[in-house]
Every structure is written in structure tokens, then in C-alpha cells.
Amino acid sequence: MNKLFLTFLLSALLFQSKGECQTNDIDYKSKIATVVENYFDLEREAIHLHIDKTSFITQESIWYQGYIINRKTNKPFFTTNVFIILYDQSGKALSEKLIYASNGVFSGSIELKPTYHSGKYYIQAYTNWMNNFSENESTIRQITLINPNEGSKDYNKINTNSLQLSLHPEGNSFIKGISNTIGVSVKDCRGNAPEILDAIVQNTSGEEIKRIKLNAFGYGKLDIIPNEVGLKIKVETGTKTLVQDLPPSEPIGFALSVNNFTIEGKTVLKIKSNNATQHIMNTKKVFIVVHQDQKHSIYNLELDANLEQLITLNNTDLFEGINTIRIIDSDMKQWCERLVYVYPKTYANATLTIEGKLGNSIILKGESNLNNANLSLTVLPEDTKSLDNNTTIISGLTINPYLNEPLNKAYYYFNSINRTKLYELDLVVLNQTSSKYQWEAMKLSPPTTKYSFDIGLSLKGTIDPNIKNKTFHKVKLVSFKDFIMMSSDISEKGDYLFEHVLIADSTFVKMSLEKLPNFDKINTKITPQILHRKKPFYKSILNYIATTCNDSETEAITTDFELPRFASKTIQLKTVVVTVPKKKMTYENRLGNASLRAIKVDDSMQNQNLLYLIESNGFDVVRNLSSVTIYSRHRNSINAAQPQPEITIDGRTVMTHDELTSLSMSEIDEIYISPHAIVASMKNNMGAIHIYRKQSFAKYTPKQDPNSFYIKEGFSRNTNFKNADYINSNSEGFDYYGIMEWVPQINTDENGIFNATISSFKKKKAKYVLEGMTNDGKIYHQTQVIELK
């Protein structure tokens, strides 16, 4: 009887102990998860800039299209206010613009000046919201300008004075008594590396212990047990000897090694420790944390007599793009950290073929599985030297946002992917000099909202304090040409506020004060203040610009090559004449219309029904007797109600969808429509329908009025691509540095079909770069040579 009772008691205690351990594991994991989720709770934007090229003559303009995603969802974000700044190599801002983004896409240009010096310049894209984060979440693209009066500077030449050997222990740990992996990199101040380098491990006597070859980009790695004192790594570059001592080893810890390039679809973790570590960790729990932003998985790391463990993860259990792998114990101490990249599973493809020719113009037809996408296309001479191949939309949105040092030569890693390139990309990730998201900072200081997420601009002001019954008045804001008609209530203090106004540079507006209930006009001066226009970025560009270069070697001026020549010393912005028949659109450059499908209503459509047209373009139209409601067929989330689109007539948001029932096609001039458009709204809107009636304000001349004025600094107006006025396109200078065409805002249809018209410049072949993003976040990059003859 006593024996049975004792057995029962032991079983109960063991069951209780096991239950407590499981509970403790859940508690520890919950604490770790809370840190990750809190730190990445605020949405973070990622921006990629597709630039027409990366080397420019100072008499040209820079053309770009930007793509914005929400890193939580990896889908287009409803950001509207994007700032674009051009900096010179000293960090001085030369140009600043506010650009309107719609459906996660924006486009624009930067006009260069002939007075700019040859050198490196930087384009930064940011939002005010990004100021909330301690990390620099802006996007910075490096470009090269060539002033024909000064010549070019060779930044690909090795700057031998600044060559540096750096060592990076894998996992940021170097543990005594066990084999560790250590990354090796050799670069100059601009990221260039000599080819065919050997890294040699030597002891204090100078004896060679191990030798490895570095790849063409100056990266490599080796395994070593740090038992000896005074071990060092030496690299002979041909012009100098670089020597670096191995870092001091730690008596306890974990060595983390990651391999995601040997077994397809698998990531293998090799985790090693020593006896001293096992003894200390015997009373603690240890976890493997894998996360990308707030998305995370947490696994138990079981410690036993085996000092080396292999753990295989399916890549489907990781997250596409950069993953951070951490080893963290139950005291919330981090022991290791390693980045690993999982290539996005993209099945996107596109082909460009010549559909027709007319004069000097070529009509390209694109066929793809990129349904409802927004694309941008740059076309350059086949032998162009104006692309540095450093950035693609894939690296721009899935790698660079997670690194302190952006990936160089991205074209190499993402074209014709094979196992060698998988390995070499992992070398880049392994050899990062520092972590962007540090665990200690994540525990102590999660971001808080201090800077606003701006949607459009705001106009605010105060009416004359002598006016009585202020709340019985309204302030009216009107721009006939830009279809703006708004009114604002007035507070008891006399304050008025217009929010979320999409107003472009040099827009003529008229304001008035009206008294209710008859809207009688009050003769008074109204002086508003524009908000959200000037929003600086509070992280210095100088932290990005290389300041350690002694450029006497690399910045030697070279003029022994031909550059394009222009019709005059200053740019002649003459529109390229395309003789392809095309319906001229009046409102395509209105803010928010560029990413929508444009429909010009002509005589053949006069007898059509507007609601049927809307229905055939991806919307559900629900009719109930004389009432009508329009819904988008795409929901923002699984449980969300079916959203309604944003509908405007002549720029005015309709009060009820019933307004469309009395609108005939004969009254309509143009329609801009998309069921997938992301709308910056608190009303769960999805999709956009912008209708413009047949009317002309061309003869409108504003009367002199003290309350009529031009908005000097609004959103930058959309402009069509205008090429430089090249004197001779049949020259080496044009073939190396000219541009044939830039086509932004290409919208594919439901079947992925699209068209683009380019100028041939009588070339037999051309190189094009096509990039873009679908409404559900699929991204695409393609670089190809196309036959034009």
C-alpha cells in the first residue's frame, strides 16, 4: 500500500514539474514575443526608387518612380506624402519636393543644373512618419553626375589608401574551445574590392594555418577554433598588406552557423557550445527566435550532453526576404544574432514584343501574369554605361530596409539565380558590420508616435476676432481649375481647418467667409497657413555618405571619352513627338489619377450606361429601385465588410452613389477608374472612380481678390517625360550615356496585358529595365536586351 502511494506521489510530482516547465516555456516565449511585437507595432514603410539610369549629364533630368509597401503586410501602403531630396557629395540639399503617392506608387523628376560639379550625389525618399523610428528607414540612392566641362571621375577604381580588412564572427559571437565561423571582407571606402585575394590565418610565428580565397566582391568566410593566442588574418592586395587580429574569444556562449544554400528549400542551423556554457545554462531555458519585423516564430533549444546541434527549418516556415535569427535565454539575454535571406517565391514573368512601328516610334506589347500592376520602364542604348546595377525593386523592398549597408550589385544576385549566387548573397549578409535592430534597444525603447502620418496638406487659420457668432460661419476654399471645393466649420475661438487637401504647386485658390444660414459673403481678409509641407528628416545624410575617402586617386578627372551633346548649353525640354494615334487625356496628371485606368468618353460611348461601365471595370453595382450602391469586389481583410470606392465628380466627393443614376455618358468627358486603388481614408474605402464632366475653365480669369492667391508650395505637379535635345543619337556618347525612353505609371489590365510607346532613335537593339508591383504586393524586376529592327 505504501509502495503504491509512493509511486502515485512521484508520478504526480513529475507531472506537476512537467506542467510547470511547459508553463514556464510559454511565459518565456510570451515575454520574447512581446518585445518583438511591441518594437515593430507601428507600421514601417519601405520605399524603392526605380530611376531611369544612375549616371547623368548635368544637362539632363532625373526621372523616377517610387514603390511603397507596408512591411507588416508586404503590400502597397496608403502613404500619400513623400519627400524627395537631392544632396551633393557634401550633404547639401540641392532640390526638395513633396510628391503625391497613390496606391503605393509615385513618380516625378528632378531637373539638374549645368553648374553642378561632377561627382557622387544622393536621392533620398522619406516620409514624416519615418521620424518615429531610431533607425533610418528612409531610402537613399546614389547616382553619378558628369559635368561635360569637368569630365568624369572613376569611382570603380580601387582606392588603395582606404582598403580595409574586416572580420565578422558569424552570429556576433566567438567562443573559446569550439569551431567558429568568421566572415572576412576587404573593401575600399566606396565598397570596391580587388579581385583574386587570399585571406591567410597566421599564428604569432607567422606560420600559415589556413588559407581561403575571397570572391570577386571581397567576401569570404572560414572556420577556426580560437585556442591559440595571437592569431591573425593577413591579406596581400598587391599594393599593401592588410592584417587584422582575430577578436578575443569568449569563455561561454553559442556559435551559430547558418546554411540556406546547400539544400533547396531548407535552412540549416548549426549551434555549438562548450562545457562551460552547458554548465551555466543548465538552470535556464534557451530559445531560437526567428522574426521579420513583428512576424515571428520561437523554438525551444534543448541543451544536453551534445555540444553541437543541427536544426533544419523549412523555408516555408521562414519569411520571404530578410529574417533575423536570435538565440535568447530565459533571462532575456541575447547570445547570438544572424541575418538570413529567403528569396521571394515569385512566379511573375513578362515578355515585351514589338506590336507595331510608326515613324520613329515603336509600340511595345507586354504580356505578363502581373494582373492589375503598376510598372515603370526605362529604355537605354544596348551598350549603355549609365546603369550601376546596384539596386532592383527586389533588393530595395526585401533586403535594404533591414540592413545598415545597402546591397551593392543587386543585379548580379537576382539575375539567373543559382546555388553559387545564394552562397555569395549569404556572404554579404554575414559580413554586415552592425545590426540595424539591436536586441537591447528593442527591449528598452519601442517606438512611440511623435510624428504624424500625413495624408495630404492642411490649411488652417483664424478669422477676424471682431466677428460675432463665429460658429455660425463657414470658410470656403475653391479652386475651379483644380476642382477643389471645400468648406470648414469655425470654432468658438475663430479657428478653421481644412484637412487632407490634395493641392499642387501653383494652384490658384479663392477663400471666402460665409454666414449661415444663407451663406452670405462676409467682407474680411483670410490668411491661411499651410501645414505638413515642410517636414525635415531628422537623421543626417552625412551618416550615409562616405567621408573617409581620400579621393586623390579615384577622383582624377578623365575626359578621354565622348559624352552626348545637346542643342544648347542648357537643356531643351522638348517633348518627344509620338505620332501614334492616342486619345488626349486632360486630367491624367491630376493628383491620384496616374495609377488609374483612363477612359476618354467619345461619340461611340454616348449611348452606354455609366453604371454598366463601372460594373465591367471590377465593381459590384447593387440596384434597389431608384437607389444604387457601388462596392469593390476586393476586401481589405477576410473579416472586413465589403468596401466602397472613393467616387468623385469634377474633384468633389459624391454625397451618395445615387448621384450617378442621373449622370449620362454624354455629359462625361473622362473617367479614371480602378477597383484595386488604395484610398487614404478612415472609411475602409477600396477602389477609385474619378469622373470629369464636359466643361472648360480655360477662359476662367480670376478677379482681383485679396482672398485669392496661388499656393506656392504644394505637391509637385505630375509632368510627362521630356527627353533631352540630343544633337546626335548616332554617337558613342549617346550609346554610353543617353536615354531613349522613360515610361512611368504603366497599368496592366486584369490579364496582365500592357502597352508602351518608345522612341527607337534608329537603334537595332536596346536594353530595358522593367520593374513594378501588383495590388497584392507581388514585385517584379527584369533587365533584357530587345531587338528593335
Side-chain angles (χ1 to χ4, degrees), residues 543-603:
N543 296 329
Y544 178 88
I545 298 174
T547 57
T548 58
C549 283
N550 179 0
D551 289 324
S552 58
E553 295 179 66
T554 57
E555 291 206 355
I557 299 295
T558 56
T559 57
D560 57 347
F561 60 90
E562 187 177 346
L563 292 173
R565 291 186 298 150
F566 306 97
S568 66
K569 293 183 179 180
T570 57
I571 194 73
Q572 296 288 330
L573 290 181
K574 188 168 67 178
T575 303
V576 177
V577 177
V578 177
T579 53
V580 181
K582 181 181 178 181
K583 296 178 180 178
K584 184 178 179 181
M585 307 301 293
T586 306
Y587 306 105
E588 61 183 344
N589 288 329
R590 297 272 185 225
L591 296 179
N593 286 348
S595 61
L596 308 180
R597 181 193 173 196
I599 300 173
K600 188 75 171 180
V601 179
D602 55 21
D603 293 340

Side-chain angles (χ1 to χ4, degrees), residues 474-478 485-488 498 510-514 526:
K474 284 184 179 290
V475 174
K476 191 174 181 181
L477 173 69
V478 175
M485 187 174 293
M486 306 175 71
S487 64
S488 170
F498 295 93
K510 182 176 182 179
M511 300 186 71
S512 59
L513 179 65
E514 298 177 344
I526 301 176

Side-chain angles (χ1 to χ4, degrees), residues 45 47 83-85 87 91 93 96 124-140 436 451 533-544:
E45 303 147 299
I47 299 178
F83 294 91
I84 300 291
I85 301 183
Y87 293 95
E96 184 266 2
Q124 182 180 43
Y126 71 89
T127 66
N128 184 55
W129 181 254
M130 291 177 177
N131 281 313
N132 287 305
F133 308 107
S134 59
E135 302 86 8
N136 189 341
E137 301 292 7
S138 72
T139 291
I140 301 173
K436 184 172 181 178
Y451 299 91
R533 175 57 186 89
K534 295 293 185 180
K535 294 294 182 74
F537 194 62
Y538 292 108
K539 295 170 184 65
S540 175
I541 189 73
L542 295 176
N543 296 329
Y544 178 88

